[in-house]
Amino acid sequence: MKNIDWDFLKKDMTFIILNCLVNRIPCWRIRKKFYEGFGMKIGKGARIGLYTIIIAPQKIELGERSIINHSCFVDGSGKVIIENDVSISCFAKIISCTHSTRSEIFEYKTNPIWIKNNVWIATEAIILDNSIIEEKAIIGSGSIFKGESRE
């Protein structure tokens, strides 16, 4: 019998539990307890909408009064910090990983994303790895953002 890769199994089970079961629970208070139980830091008054996909919750911080609306995708593999009073509209994606196109093996890489206070990320916007979004920035609907916003 082959050795079992317990780390891989744990990641798979976390994904299945959070994204096939927990994200469908209609009561936010119950969903919040599960997300926190899996290591996510969630500030007072913050919320995550139904059907949002969460990857690597232990590397995601959601600040006070910040909202991730329904049907979003948040991949914390490279670390995602969302500060206070941030609004992330439905169907937005935050992706903190990528692959190196210069690598012969298409190497998997992770890089952090930092979204500062009072940011609005509009519907279907995509935030890519290694990005910093400064305070009060607006990322428009359908935009793809990578890099650093200007103050």
Side-chain angles (χ1 to χ4, degrees):
M1 186 169 149
K2 291 186 176 184
N3 291 336
I4 296 173
D5 184 346
W6 292 108
D7 288 336
F8 186 76
L9 185 60
K10 182 179 175 185
K11 285 179 185 178
D12 271 2
M13 292 309 298
T14 297
F15 182 88
I16 291 167
I17 291 167
L18 292 181
N19 302 306
C20 296
L21 301 171
V22 173
N23 74 352
R24 288 163 172 74
I25 297 171
C27 178
W28 163 241
R29 291 177 196 266
I30 295 171
R31 285 198 318 273
K32 180 180 180 185
K33 292 294 182 195
F34 274 100
Y35 291 132
E36 289 174 334
F38 279 89
M40 185 182 252
K41 294 181 180 129
I42 301 174
K44 185 176 180 179
R47 287 187 172 244
I48 300 172
L50 289 167
Y51 312 116
T52 291
I53 301 294
I54 300 290
I55 297 173
Q58 70 281 7
K59 295 183 179 180
I60 299 172
E61 296 178 22
L62 183 60
E64 294 183 4
R65 300 170 305 281
S66 289
I67 305 294
I68 300 173
N69 279 285
H70 72 86
S71 304
C72 290
F73 179 93
V74 182
D75 179 359
S77 297
K79 186 146 182 86
V80 173
I81 298 172
I82 300 167
E83 289 188 356
N84 303 322
D85 303 302
V86 172
S87 179
I88 300 174
S89 298
C90 55
F91 305 108
K93 294 175 178 65
I94 298 173
I95 305 168
S96 65
C97 59
T98 189
H99 292 275
S100 173
T101 57
R102 295 188 175 137
S103 168
E104 289 184 24
I105 59 167
F106 207 51
E107 180 184 11
Y108 176 78
K109 301 185 327 179
T110 61
N111 296 296
I113 295 173
W114 185 8
I115 302 170
K116 296 187 180 180
N117 294 321
N118 300 297
V119 168
W120 174 29
I121 298 174
T123 301
E124 294 186 344
I126 300 172
I127 310 302
L128 297 175
D129 67 301
N130 212 19
S131 292
I132 299 172
I133 302 176
E134 296 294 338
E135 289 191 11
K136 300 180 182 177
I138 298 171
I139 306 299
S141 184
S143 297
I144 299 174
F145 182 88
K146 182 176 176 87
E148 188 170 345
S149 68
R150 305 271 186 231
E151 285 190 51

